[in-house]
């Protein structure tokens, strides 16, 4: 039986700045937008709002759906679905100590120079393009050896 895991990621931006977490734990280290696991039975959007609050201290609204990523690993018989959102509507004060990584504002033009996972680097510009996207990653054996396809919808 195939296992499905559902996550979200939210790009919070303020004019020419983006909010990223300096995540330095587990297998997914580097700078990353806030996000996390969708808990049962919450909705996709509610989970995205919750994750931003937990990881950054900010309340967000007016989330715009930007796309979805599927990562299929045949060897592990698992499919990860990550739903991507973008917003510039927020209020609150940034946390100074977050278990997921400290949140900070960065110039959008300089963010791609930060250390980040390849998949985050691939998705980053897609947050700011017109329309929506689907990113499909497929690994037959090794988790780190995958094919990638980006579809613009």
């Amino acid at each position: 039986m195939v296992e499905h895991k559902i996550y979200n990621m939210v790009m919070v931006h303020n004019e020419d700045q983006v909010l990223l977490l300096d995540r330095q734990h587990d297998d997914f280290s580097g700078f990353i937008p806030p996000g996390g696991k969708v808990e049962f039975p919450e909705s996709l959007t509610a989970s995205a709002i919750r994750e931003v609050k937990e990881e950054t201290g900010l309340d967000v609204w007016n989330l715009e759906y930007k796309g979805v990523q599927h990562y299929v690993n045949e060897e592990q018989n698992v499919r990860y679905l990550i739903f991507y959102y973008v917003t510039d509507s927020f209020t609150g004060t940034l946390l100074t100590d977050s278990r997921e990584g400290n949140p900070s504002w960065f110039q959008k033009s300089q963010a791609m120079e930060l250390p980040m996972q390849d998949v985050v680097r691939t998705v980053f510009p897609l947050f700011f393009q017109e329309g929506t996207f689907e990113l499909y990653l497929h690994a037959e054996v090794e988790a780190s050896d995958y094919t990638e396809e980006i579809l613009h919808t």
Side-chain angles (χ1 to χ4, degrees):
M1 179 160 205
V2 175
E3 180 181 9
H4 292 83
K5 297 182 178 187
I6 305 172
Y7 295 86
N8 59 62
M9 190 175 287
V10 182
M11 180 64 73
V12 181
H13 66 101
N14 184 13
E15 297 179 12
D16 62 345
Q17 294 188 318
V18 293
L19 182 62
L20 300 173
L21 304 174
D22 183 7
R23 186 171 173 161
Q24 298 301 322
H25 65 86
D26 67 30
D27 294 331
F28 209 88
S29 63
F31 287 87
I32 185 171
K37 188 173 183 183
V38 178
E39 301 292 343
F40 185 82
E42 73 186 333
S43 73
L44 299 172
T45 304
S47 72
I49 291 168
R50 175 187 53 76
E51 286 287 348
V52 172
K53 178 69 171 181
E54 289 176 2
E55 295 180 356
T56 71
L58 299 182
D59 293 300
V60 294
W61 62 94
N62 291 336
L63 274 62
E64 178 186 350
Y65 171 77
K66 287 305 294 179
V68 65
Q69 170 192 323
H70 343 197
Y71 169 71
V72 175
N73 186 312
E74 288 189 44
E75 184 177 60
Q76 295 177 2
N77 213 31
V78 63
R79 176 187 301 262
Y80 295 87
L81 294 167
I82 304 172
F83 292 86
Y84 293 98
Y85 299 91
V86 65
T87 188
D88 61 359
S89 301
F90 63 90
T91 189
T93 304
L94 283 182
L95 297 175
T96 56
D97 187 26
S98 172
R99 65 179 172 80
E100 292 300 327
N102 290 332
S104 298
W105 292 102
F106 296 92
Q107 293 296 316
K108 191 185 308 182
S109 60
Q110 297 172 343
M112 292 290 284
E113 298 170 17
L114 297 168
M116 59 179 65
Q117 295 284 322
D118 290 341
V119 69
V120 176
R121 194 172 305 285
T122 297
V123 170
F124 189 91
L126 301 176
F127 281 106
F128 304 104
Q129 293 178 1
E130 272 304 304
T132 59
F133 66 89
E134 176 182 340
L135 174 60
Y136 178 68
L137 308 173
H138 180 209
E140 291 182 24
V141 182
E142 272 299 311
S144 61
D145 184 24
Y146 55 82
T147 58
E148 175 181 291
E149 181 178 6
I150 300 174
L151 306 167
H152 294 275
T153 55

